[in-house]
Amino acid sequence: MNRLDTWLWEALQEDLEHGDVTAECLIPREARGEAVVFGREPFVLSGVSAFERVFQLMDSSMQTACLFQDGDEIAAGAPVFRLQGNVRSILAGERTVLNILQRLCGVATLTRRMVKALEGLPCRLLDTRKTTPLWRFLEKAAVRHGGGRNHRFSLSDGILIKDNHIAAVGGVKEAVRLARQGAPHTLKVEVEVDTLGQLKDALEAGADVILLDNFTVEKLREAVALNGGRVLLEASGGVTIDTVRAIAETGVHFISCGALTHSARAIDLTMELFPSPHFSAS
Amino acid sequence: MNRLDTWLWEALQEDLEHGDVTAECLIPREARGEAVVFGREPFVLSGVSAFERVFQLMDSSMQTACLFQDGDEIAAGAPVFRLQGNVRSILAGERTVLNILQRLCGVATLTRRMVKALEGLPCRLLDTRKTTPLWRFLEKAAVRHGGGRNHRFSLSDGILIKDNHIAAVGGVKEAVRLARQGAPHTLKVEVEVDTLGQLKDALEAGADVILLDNFTVEKLREAVALNGGRVLLEASGGVTIDTVRAIAETGVHFISCGALTHSARAIDLTMELFPSPHFSAS
Amino acid sequence: MNRLDTWLWEALQEDLEHGDVTAECLIPREARGEAVVFGREPFVLSGVSAFERVFQLMDSSMQTACLFQDGDEIAAGAPVFRLQGNVRSILAGERTVLNILQRLCGVATLTRRMVKALEGLPCRLLDTRKTTPLWRFLEKAAVRHGGGRNHRFSLSDGILIKDNHIAAVGGVKEAVRLARQGAPHTLKVEVEVDTLGQLKDALEAGADVILLDNFTVEKLREAVALNGGRVLLEASGGVTIDTVRAIAETGVHFISCGALTHSARAIDLTMELFPSPHFSAS
Amino acid sequence: MNRLDTWLWEALQEDLEHGDVTAECLIPREARGEAVVFGREPFVLSGVSAFERVFQLMDSSMQTACLFQDGDEIAAGAPVFRLQGNVRSILAGERTVLNILQRLCGVATLTRRMVKALEGLPCRLLDTRKTTPLWRFLEKAAVRHGGGRNHRFSLSDGILIKDNHIAAVGGVKEAVRLARQGAPHTLKVEVEVDTLGQLKDALEAGADVILLDNFTVEKLREAVALNGGRVLLEASGGVTIDTVRAIAETGVHFISCGALTHSARAIDLTMELFPSPHFSAS
Amino acid sequence: MNRLDTWLWEALQEDLEHGDVTAECLIPREARGEAVVFGREPFVLSGVSAFERVFQLMDSSMQTACLFQDGDEIAAGAPVFRLQGNVRSILAGERTVLNILQRLCGVATLTRRMVKALEGLPCRLLDTRKTTPLWRFLEKAAVRHGGGRNHRFSLSDGILIKDNHIAAVGGVKEAVRLARQGAPHTLKVEVEVDTLGQLKDALEAGADVILLDNFTVEKLREAVALNGGRVLLEASGGVTIDTVRAIAETGVHFISCGALTHSARAIDLTMELFPSPHFSAS
Amino acid sequence: MNRLDTWLWEALQEDLEHGDVTAECLIPREARGEAVVFGREPFVLSGVSAFERVFQLMDSSMQTACLFQDGDEIAAGAPVFRLQGNVRSILAGERTVLNILQRLCGVATLTRRMVKALEGLPCRLLDTRKTTPLWRFLEKAAVRHGGGRNHRFSLSDGILIKDNHIAAVGGVKEAVRLARQGAPHTLKVEVEVDTLGQLKDALEAGADVILLDNFTVEKLREAVALNGGRVLLEASGGVTIDTVRAIAETGVHFISCGALTHSARAIDLTMELFPSPHFSAS
């Protein structure tokens, strides 16, 4: 049982506990039917394998089909998934799978909107570690399906010196020096700066990547000039669909945005069931 | 290890994997400091015990204090939590705990706004099963902290006959009849209806609670009149901060709203670290 | 891996630990054979899926067949299950599966005897939460296979106010009032009473279901009269095969009985192995 | 978290699921009280550490006291355990802990009765592997608390050649020969025989222990004579409180009895709660 | 999911964490290829099922073939395993499976060398409990693949009285007496002795097996003479490829050697990948 | 329960299964004593926290003291750990903790020897991913205790293009190009090369780190010259205590060595128990 399966199984258990008392009263154990899932608004798809595995885990005889791929743009009302099998199994998984998809598609859809706003510019849109706890691997995939790129996955796979680190060691220069000395030789050293002064320190100390936190567009332009193409620059803070293009046009290499994963609105998805005509045991 | 501990531990592992490589380079193993958590906007608090347990789980020598209780309304900038202990432990838990709190406080804050809109009316605000998978027990608590009430927790602890069930058995009356016959004698029978015709069927069939789905305010008024106080009525669909009071004024007993848990915006929270002056091993 | 699989796997591990040292000495790794399971006394069957899954989990090449269904009445000596496959796998699962079946069939058989004693009466036989810890979902299914119905599954899916609650809040009326106020709107309020006086209080306070605990048959008759058909009545205490019909004839709607799950005698089951003639590797 | 804790935690979860909805309506979060557990019939105690750990796991501030030790004989009505602490915690653990104790005390009590029937004889009473799945370590301890001894714990820690093994390899002699050759040198070889002829074969083949299955008392006497003190003899089958002494008087060294663990009747235990006078938050 | 699967899955997770970032950059998701595993030195094979399961767990569409059996002697350079399937899956499992095989084959190879040194003698080579924690079931199997036999698996399945036990109870005789009295009747009593005096005590007290710890070859000869064939003798301490035959020639029945499992050198194994010619998505 | 605790608990279970049958026969339940752990040879210490936690997990009343720190050089015979507490608990953990320590100290000791061979040179010794599966976090810590540094922890936290990747994409240049394009911007790009020609390609393509695999000392010197200080160079293959200094003297920045973790010999450690004089219950 791989990571996704374990995750989905826990999600199913949360909603099923000791069983679906409504369906057990109403639906014959062997009743069969079909169902389709569609959106009531347009969206970018993410979560295809979650959908398929949820129903496989519940009932290995379920037939599932996905008519699109992760990353596709789907029109309102278009059938995205089809299901064929035991009606009780379909109903038992319905809410869980919609709860998963509505969130992942929400993240992918918001990401796609921002990426489109950057069209024609070399700047890349990044996510952050501001993800929903227990959902990081899924939300980071949804960002990719939306066209964004992933920043580091966890505290283990990248050096990023932040304000609290700098406060702790006493300055940008000392922080970068310590990181260069102690970091695994396979990792670059990234440091967050709040001012142009700190930016100069970071450049002098030999940082590989510099995160410009809450810089105005004007300050970003100065920062890009100051850098003169030496290191990679990442802008963060105040990134919205309205500001993202102006930020990118300053010439920074990356823009990172926490809202992609922590505040995307859920997509309105629904499942419609078509019981088989005679609704009898197979 | 109870359910919350297990949940928090998985959340910590997701961000920590094999350790915090930045802090291991920069922060001496024994360095101590203090930190405070505050919001950059006003919010309703939820997640006090999660905060305290996260740091206990990481480092049992950590001192934590919460200056408020779940459900309290907090001003922007007011310190909510204080931490005192090992700096590496503080930094290792920072992102995870903020990711948890920003979501739970978001749910509590949105719920509170809606509950206030109902002030003076007997109608109660309910959540739904449209929660974030793996977060249900936390989000349902956040709804209570915001002043809302919980609908059923899972498929196991309530009978709710929905459109797909009615389609499967052929009609409201038959569905309610089967549920009354087969349901555990400790559960009421709730049924979702889309029209006044179905409402009449549900009343005749002896439903205990009736969910009026996507009724206009006018239709809701007719439904309340038709019911004449016989059974409990719940309205659902199209519930926003702008519509919620008008819906309640129709006289329904409950309003349920999925957006409370699936689309609440994250609260902007931050943690500020104050390293101890000499920053030395204790 | 669903709940049953996980449960069965733990049960197998308990008996297998690091392997079956006897079979490893005596039985060639590839030896194949057949086996049948039968009872040495008549019984009601429960546990068909447990049987099939145990052997599937151990050895996916095992062929299993069940000649009956859960709930069937089986004569002594009648073959119930057939197995065909690897002899070591058959022997490794033998004791575990018999230990499971002897208990579940014991519960189903005792339940069936009591249900037959109620023949022709509208009263329903219920189980309780006095189940064997870790076995509840299986024992509650066995009660259904025996013809009984299930009371609430856990503390989460029903309101049942018992003597200790009443002691804590100071009286039946106050207890029922608090429950009606605070309970989820999908749950009925059931209260346990010890006297006719408490019964009156419960009726006045608006309980939905009343459990008459340790009432004599005569008192039960008075209680039924007092109720006058207003709410559901459940009798409990002193329920045996000898008393159950008299209790039901008082007119209560339900009788609940803890002995169904905590004191059913194990059914005497056995497995007989027929090694393949040449007993050689396949 | 050791094995017992994990086991108890799963047992608690089974009854608690997402919480105790009754207590949450009725009992203030901070209410405190005392409770005692006693039997409504005399019994032999088993399960002291389970009792204490269940309440520790739920609420580490709970005070528990046990007034007896495992193995003690307890009079009806005598208080066995005392609890002091949060009322919700007491009520949340009540059913689970009583379900555990009623079964373990049942096993210990039945064992004690049989052991007393053997008083003055050198013969020892043994349990079997016919235990309740997932309960073996607890039930085997209960047998010891009752004064019995344990047979092998699992398939891994003893060689016991049974009828199905003999059928598979073609005879007692061949089976014992293979076991002596292949078994770990730390294990004795025990073989089950159905006839005196098989007994002779087993003695000749060099078995260390011989299990006489379903022998009449008369045949057991012959077997003891035939053995002439060479190897250990164990009798099994048809062992009840009425037959156990006669079996022992034949001179066998051990009697094993499956009913000790699979068919002991539950002891009738109860918990009585005394809420603190003012029933207020501590 | 059986024990091996769970173990392998944890091993895979340890190396994979949140994915293989190198392969995700370089290898198209659908690229297919073949790979072979071979040694750069001769070795005895152990770990066939681990190899097959690792790749099945990662990717159920992977084709695996093993050209040998556990216990076979393999020449340097000979292909042992073949793989056909998704290139990313092959690379994701490569290091984990080689890390497993290099250790297990190391144990089997060292065991085989020692067993060959005993050729023609009745003495058997045993392992010990000095295994790599979490690897015992695999390393004990590797010892068998090498031609050795297993001593007890754990503290639960054999009585072995060691120096610390003797110190605790005050002497060999008392220790053996207590063990004979209290041990399950299915277990032999083995005792470790350091001197010929202790050996005499052990024989008198009725030990079934005696472990001669750190005896010189000369002392072993005296011990064998003293025993006169009465009980089983096991020699331990100072066992190397150079000494093992001389120890065996003293006439002891068993030699046990911790180095088999704690200090076997890893075998130098490698995997070579052959991408499919067109290396395109299937 | 953190990662180390879970790991240790599984290790304890592996050796304890259903209990220590020897100690249960011989040692009174309440007997107390002291024990010390020491080596029979000099070694570098690693595993202090594992030692302390193992005994805490088994018995929270155990007193443990460590007289040294991880990384200290310990003389043969010097007491390293002291234990005071229940004798059964001491004996139950003895083998598991020694099995853990003997391996970790083995790794730390071998690493220290190699690090000393590099004294005075700027070159750093690195481990690899050739660790014992399920032991990586412990073995990587042991390497640090020995004075080495860690290469990447897993496939997730570093880009390392190896021979099989190069074969798959068709050449060093293309591989480096793809990695630079697709890799997270926080990771450097390291590539393994077998020849000076590939080294030139790697330098041209813009690799950040280059691993020189199985280069002779002479070729390493040429590679260092060719590089001219541009990128970090790592040497691997054929690294032993005899060759490591010569390799370092070529001027490479890092030497990585798999044998540190896969083939370190276990250190010979022992535990000596001193039962309390009266050996009675506390």
Side-chain angles (χ1 to χ4, degrees), chain D residues 59-237:
Chain D
D59 179 348
S60 59
S61 71
M62 185 70 69
Q63 304 291 318
T64 58
C66 179
L67 312 175
F68 294 94
Q69 291 192 305
D70 286 323
D72 285 355
E73 303 191 1
I74 316 282
V80 182
F81 298 100
R82 285 190 196 285
L83 274 173
Q84 209 167 10
N86 184 283
V87 172
R88 284 194 184 179
S89 300
I90 292 172
L91 294 173
E94 173 185 358
R95 188 71 262 143
T96 298
V97 83
L98 293 180
N99 285 352
I100 295 168
L101 289 172
Q102 72 191 8
R103 177 162 195 81
L104 296 182
C105 296
V107 170
T109 302
L110 177 56
T111 304
R112 181 66 52 87
R113 284 184 68 208
M114 290 233 187
V115 165
K116 285 192 171 171
L118 299 179
E119 218 164 81
L121 298 175
C123 182
R124 303 280 197 164
L125 183 68
L126 297 174
D127 58 20
T128 66
R129 281 167 47 245
K130 295 184 179 178
T131 53
T132 307
L134 306 188
W135 281 68
R136 188 168 287 172
F137 72 114
L138 293 169
E139 290 183 345
K140 293 230 161 203
V143 166
R144 291 194 303 271
H145 297 147
R149 291 176 64 122
N150 299 142
H151 207 300
R152 62 179 173 165
F153 188 89
S154 75
L155 290 168
S156 294
D157 64 330
I159 301 283
L160 177 42
I161 304 167
K162 308 199 71 168
D163 49 358
N164 280 336
H165 297 105
I166 293 169
V169 301
V172 167
K173 282 195 177 173
E174 176 65 1
V176 173
R177 192 187 66 77
L178 286 168
R180 287 182 62 88
Q181 183 180 68
H185 70 290
T186 54
L187 300 182
K188 292 183 189 165
V189 171
E190 178 167 4
V191 61
E192 176 183 308
V193 300
D194 297 329
T195 64
L196 291 171
Q198 284 187 323
L199 171 59
K200 281 177 208 159
D201 286 350
L203 287 168
E204 277 176 32
D208 298 305
V209 190
I210 299 175
L211 189 159
L212 308 160
D213 193 38
N214 282 316
F215 276 46
T216 61
V217 167
E218 193 171 352
K219 287 276 184 210
L220 286 174
R221 256 187 237 114
E222 289 182 57
V224 170
L226 196 66
N227 180 45
R230 273 178 289 176
V231 306
L232 295 172
L233 296 181
E234 174 185 342
S236 184

Side-chain angles (χ1 to χ4, degrees), chain B residues 2 4-5 7-9 12 37 45-70 80-84 89-90 93 96-98 100-101 104 138 271, chain D residues 30:
Chain B
N2 62 23
L4 177 60
D5 283 10
W7 193 95
L8 292 171
W9 192 257
L12 282 169
V37 172
L45 182 59
S46 177
V48 171
S49 56
F51 181 88
E52 287 169 349
R53 292 301 299 160
V54 157
F55 286 104
Q56 280 300 306
L57 287 171
M58 292 198 55
D59 179 347
S60 58
S61 71
M62 186 71 68
Q63 303 291 319
T64 58
C66 179
L67 312 175
F68 294 93
Q69 291 191 306
D70 286 323
V80 182
F81 298 101
R82 284 189 197 286
L83 273 173
Q84 209 167 10
S89 299
I90 293 173
T96 298
V97 83
L98 292 181
I100 295 168
L101 289 172
L104 297 182
L138 293 170
M271 177 185 284
Chain D
E30 299 300 338

Side-chain angles (χ1 to χ4, degrees), chain E residues 118 120-125 233 244 247-249 251-255:
Chain E
L118 300 179
L121 299 174
C123 181
R124 301 281 196 163
L125 183 68
L233 296 180
V244 68
I247 294 171
E249 287 171 342
V252 295
H253 305 87
F254 299 100
I255 296 173

